[in-house]
Coordinates of all heavy atoms in Angstrom, one line a residue:
Y1275 N 60.6 99.0 61.9 CA 60.3 97.6 61.5 C 60.7 96.6 62.5 O 60.3 95.4 62.6 CB 60.9 97.3 60.2 CG 60.3 98.2 59.1 CD1 61.0 99.3 58.7 CD2 59.1 97.9 58.5 CE1 60.5 100.2 57.7 CE2 58.6 98.7 57.5 CZ 59.3 99.9 57.1 OH 58.8 100.7 56.1
K1281 N 59.5 99.9 73.0 CA 60.9 99.6 73.0 C 61.7 100.8 72.5 O 62.8 101.1 73.1 CB 61.2 98.4 72.2 CG 62.7 98.0 72.1 CD 63.3 97.5 73.4 CE 64.6 96.8 73.2 NZ 65.6 97.7 72.6
M1282 N 61.2 101.4 71.5 CA 61.9 102.6 71.0 C 61.9 103.7 72.1 O 63.0 104.4 72.2 CB 61.2 103.1 69.7 CG 61.4 102.3 68.5 SD 60.3 102.8 67.1 CE 60.9 104.5 67.0
A1290 N 69.1 109.1 76.6 CA 69.1 110.4 77.3 C 69.7 110.3 78.7 O 70.4 111.3 79.1 CB 67.7 110.9 77.4
V1304 N 86.3 117.5 84.7 CA 87.2 117.9 83.7 C 87.2 119.5 83.7 O 86.3 120.1 83.3 CB 86.9 117.4 82.3 CG1 87.9 117.9 81.3 CG2 86.7 115.9 82.3
G1316 N 82.7 102.6 74.9 CA 81.2 102.3 75.0 C 80.4 103.5 74.6 O 80.8 104.6 74.4
S1317 N 79.0 103.2 74.6 CA 78.1 104.2 74.2 C 78.0 105.4 75.1 O 77.8 106.6 74.6 CB 76.7 103.6 74.0 OG 76.3 103.0 75.3
A1327 N 84.3 117.9 73.4 CA 84.5 118.6 72.2 C 83.7 119.9 72.1 O 84.1 120.9 71.6 CB 84.0 117.7 71.0
L1336 N 89.7 124.0 77.5 CA 90.4 122.7 77.5 C 91.3 122.6 76.3 O 91.6 121.5 75.8 CB 89.4 121.5 77.5 CG 88.3 121.6 78.5 CD1 87.3 120.4 78.3 CD2 88.8 121.5 79.9
D1338 N 94.5 122.6 76.2 CA 95.7 121.9 76.5 C 95.4 120.5 77.0 O 96.4 119.7 77.4 CB 96.6 122.6 77.5 CG 97.1 124.0 77.0 OD1 97.4 124.1 75.8 OD2 97.1 124.9 77.8
T1367 N 100.7 109.0 84.1 CA 99.9 109.4 85.2 C 98.8 110.2 84.7 O 98.9 111.3 84.1 CB 100.7 110.2 86.2 OG1 101.8 109.4 86.7 CG2 99.9 110.6 87.4
G1388 N 81.9 94.3 78.4 CA 80.9 93.9 77.4 C 81.2 94.2 76.0 O 80.9 93.5 75.0
Q1394 N 92.7 97.0 78.4 CA 93.1 98.4 78.2 C 92.4 99.4 79.1 O 93.0 100.3 79.7 CB 93.0 98.9 76.8 CG 93.9 98.1 75.8 CD 93.7 98.5 74.4 OE1 94.3 99.5 74.0 NE2 93.0 97.7 73.6
A1477 N 74.0 82.9 90.2 CA 73.4 84.2 90.5 C 73.1 84.3 92.0 O 73.2 85.4 92.6 CB 72.1 84.4 89.7

Side-chain angles (χ1 to χ4, degrees):
Y1275 298 96
K1281 178 65 166 59
M1282 289 173 58
V1304 184
S1317 57
L1336 310 177
D1338 297 324
T1367 301
Q1394 294 178 80

